[in-house]
């Protein structure tokens, strides 16, 4: 394929006179568009998105496919600040938007793969009016026909106002790419980069590849000099697991942010934003950003980790920042933001994730409405350091024998929340056989506990089916179970005194 023009260099709307002519169309709210073939029927391939990247002289177009309500799959090269430049994960270097489902939304995060021209792009909010396309599991096979779609030029239009599609024959495939030839003069044109190559099935279409490079034969502006309709797309079949992993890098928390007595859903996104989904009783509202710049606190392996609990007793959860130098500061909740914080404790650099000296938790253990520090050491002991208003004290021993519950890789994990409604945090024991027991807070210790639920062996650390959280979602003072599955659903199972019910899905992230 030597000599093929790359989509990175040639697939962009360029500056100058041409850009000026197109600007009016680009700033409108267009429908999906693509490939130099025929216009798609209304509503067909609605998962195909039109991307506009950059402003002014840097403005260019690309295409993408919706693979989750808040995520697109597209080409990494679309987001290069200049042709051929490296693309770093995180916020796009240039202002980027996507249009589909009647909305134009900002792209707030890009997650590139390092082995092919493929990236995930997070939208500022979910698109609920469009059904995402599923990824193919099987590799493209020489001789099969794929349907290409995108928002690029056609034979006669520079910036079409509707999607176009065309058929492509598979010539060959490598581990990461597929070589295609457009049929009946169809070609991948400028603006189609990142658009989907689709395999038809009995149940619809599945996403097999995204457009990456092409000869652009017959495209507007190339028709006089180029007739070749070959293209090289980046394969995405078999990447469903990676797509799921990208979505599940976010961390969710249960905490009452607005002080109404019902725990909200707090999400620390991988792009560093703390997003609060307020509890509306039977659902969680769309998220609102309350803080940003915490992308190095997501994995607990970089600068540190975050917790959310009411430290000052005003019934609104504050942000607790635990940095990898061992310091802990409290950033007070001021309703719509957390302040710059004050130092509360130090020396906890080996207590970030349980892999070294231990792990920390924050919950109101003594019932004064202010979060205490619970210290779980690698020798299995648990002590409670009481909240004294500006610091946590030296603590007292409450329980022992929990050394195999630190890393979540041995016997299970622990949580702390008020399950019986007496305002004092109980110990919730989640064992790797899937059982959950509640050990009631007796003032200076937690008792031997009672069984509350079972079947949760695949929900220990999020690597399998999902994760659990505990907090009062109903406002009755007793901790409910939040079930966050890897498909993005968050369900709340209500506390009924001796068990949690079968629950209700409150949101899909």
């Amino acid at each position: 394929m030597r000599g093929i023009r790359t989509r990175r260099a040639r697939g962009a709307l360029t500056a100058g006179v041409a850009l000026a002519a197109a600007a009016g169309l680009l700033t409108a709210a267009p429908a999906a568009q693509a490939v130099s073939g025929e216009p798609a029927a209304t509503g067909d391939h609605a998962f195909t998105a039109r991307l506009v990247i950059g402003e002014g002289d840097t403005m260019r177009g690309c295409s993408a496919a919706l693979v989750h309500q808040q995520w697109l799959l597209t080409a990494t090269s679309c987001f290069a600040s200049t042709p051929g430049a490296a693309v770093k994960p995180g916020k796009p270097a240039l202002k980027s938007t996507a249009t589909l489902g009647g909305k134009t939304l900002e792209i707030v995060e890009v997650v590139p793969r390092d082995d092919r021209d493929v990236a995930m792009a997070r939208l500022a909010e979910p698109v609920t009016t469009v059904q995402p396309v599923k990824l193919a599991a099987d590799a493209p096979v020489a001789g099969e026909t794929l349907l290409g779609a995108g928002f690029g030029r056609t034979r006669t239009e520079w910036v079409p106002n509707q999607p176009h599609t065309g058929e492509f024959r598979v010539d060959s495939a490598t581990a990461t790419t597929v070589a295609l030839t457009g049929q009946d003069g169809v070609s991948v044109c400028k603006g189609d980069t990142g658009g989907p190559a689709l395999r038809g099935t009995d149940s619809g279409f599945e996403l097999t590849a995204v457009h990456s490079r092409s000869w652009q034969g017959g495209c507007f502006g190339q028709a006089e000099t180029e007739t070749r309709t070959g293209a090289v797309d980046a394969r995405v079949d078999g990447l469903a697991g990676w797509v799921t992993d990208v979505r599940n890098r976010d961390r969710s928390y249960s905490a009452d942010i607005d002080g109404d007595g019902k725990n909200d859903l707090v999400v620390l996104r991988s792009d560093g934003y703390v997003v609060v989904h307020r509890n509306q009783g039977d659902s969680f509202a769309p998220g609102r950003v309350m803080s940003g710049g915490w992308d190095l606190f997501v994995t607990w392996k970089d600068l540190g980790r975050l917790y959310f609990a009411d430290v000052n007793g005003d019934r609104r959860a504050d942000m607790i920042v635990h940095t990898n130098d061992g310091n802990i500061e409290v950033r007070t909740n001021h309703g719509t933001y957390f302040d710059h914080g004050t130092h509360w404790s130090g020396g906890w650099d080996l207590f970030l994730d349980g892999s070294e000296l231990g792990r920390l938790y924050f919950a109101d253990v003594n019932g004064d409405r202010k979060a205490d520090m619970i210290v779980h050491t690698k020798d299995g002991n648990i002590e409670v350091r009481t909240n004294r208003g500006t610091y946590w004290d030296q603590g007292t021993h409450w329980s022992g024998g929990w050394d195999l519950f630190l890393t979540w890789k041995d016997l299970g994990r622990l949580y702390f929340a008020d399950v019986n409604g007496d305002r004092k945090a109980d110990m919730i024991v989640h064992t790797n056989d899937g059982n959950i027991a509640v050990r009631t807070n007796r003032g200076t210790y937690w008792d031997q506990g009672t069984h509350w639920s079972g079947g949760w062996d695949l929900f220990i650390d999020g690597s399998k089916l999902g994760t659990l959280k505990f907090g009062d979602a109903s406002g009755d003072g007793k901790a409910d179970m939040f079930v966050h599955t890897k498909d993005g659903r968050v369900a709340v199972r209500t506390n009924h005194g001796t068990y949690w019910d079968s629950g209700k899905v409150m949101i899909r992230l």
Side-chain angles (χ1 to χ4, degrees), residues 414-438:
L414 305 179
Y415 318 80
F416 296 88
D418 178 11
V419 177
N420 64 0
D422 65 357
R423 298 185 181 178
K424 297 181 292 184
D426 305 298
M427 178 194 287
I428 302 167
V429 182
H430 182 181
T431 48
N432 61 9
D433 61 2
N435 288 311
I436 296 176
V438 175

Side-chain angles (χ1 to χ4, degrees), residues 169-353:
R169 185 190 69 240
V170 174
D171 297 327
S172 62
T174 70
T176 59
T177 63
V178 54
L180 307 169
T181 298
Q183 304 299 289
D184 300 322
V186 169
S187 189
V188 173
C189 299
K190 289 184 178 181
D192 290 330
T193 306
L198 304 161
R199 175 185 289 136
T201 69
D202 291 341
S203 58
F205 287 98
E206 57 186 25
L207 183 61
T208 303
V210 297
H211 308 317
S212 180
R213 296 174 285 154
S214 76
W215 286 105
Q216 303 175 51
C219 300
F220 188 85
Q222 297 287 116
E224 302 300 322
T225 59
E226 183 59 72
T227 60
R228 287 169 290 186
T229 60
V232 176
D233 280 14
R235 284 177 54 183
V236 300
D237 58 280
L239 295 188
W242 175 71
V243 168
T244 299
D245 288 343
V246 168
R247 292 193 290 105
N248 284 303
R249 292 178 312 147
D250 296 351
R251 291 200 182 267
S252 62
Y253 307 79
S254 163
D256 184 4
I257 298 295
D258 56 13
D260 66 353
K262 296 179 294 186
N263 276 31
D264 307 298
L265 180 66
V266 183
V267 179
L268 171 57
R269 295 196 322 210
S270 56
D271 61 0
Y273 286 106
V274 174
V275 179
V276 177
H277 298 264
R278 298 192 184 276
N279 188 331
Q280 298 180 314
D282 59 355
S283 65
F284 292 112
R288 297 190 64 179
V289 173
M290 196 161 170
S291 188
W294 301 102
D295 50 301
L296 296 180
F297 286 75
V298 175
T299 67
W300 307 348
K301 303 297 183 184
D302 298 308
L303 292 189
R305 66 176 292 182
L306 304 181
Y307 316 79
F308 296 88
D310 180 9
V311 178
N312 63 2
D314 67 355
R315 303 191 182 187
R316 297 182 300 185
D318 307 296
M319 179 194 289
I320 302 167
V321 182
H322 181 180
T323 47
N324 61 8
D325 61 2
N327 288 311
I328 296 177
E329 66 174 20
V330 175
R331 298 198 168 205
T332 303
N333 182 338
H334 287 272
T336 56
Y337 67 96
F338 303 101
D339 66 21
H340 290 294
T342 57
H343 176 81
W344 271 58
S345 192
W348 301 103
D349 50 304
L350 301 179
F351 286 78
L352 279 165
D353 63 2

Side-chain angles (χ1 to χ4, degrees), residues 363-385:
D364 180 11
V365 177
N366 65 0
D368 66 355
R369 296 190 182 276
K370 296 182 291 185
D372 307 298
M373 178 195 286
I374 302 165
V375 183
H376 182 181
T377 49
K378 70 174 183 179
D379 60 4
N381 289 311
I382 297 176
E383 67 175 18
V384 175
R385 297 197 168 208

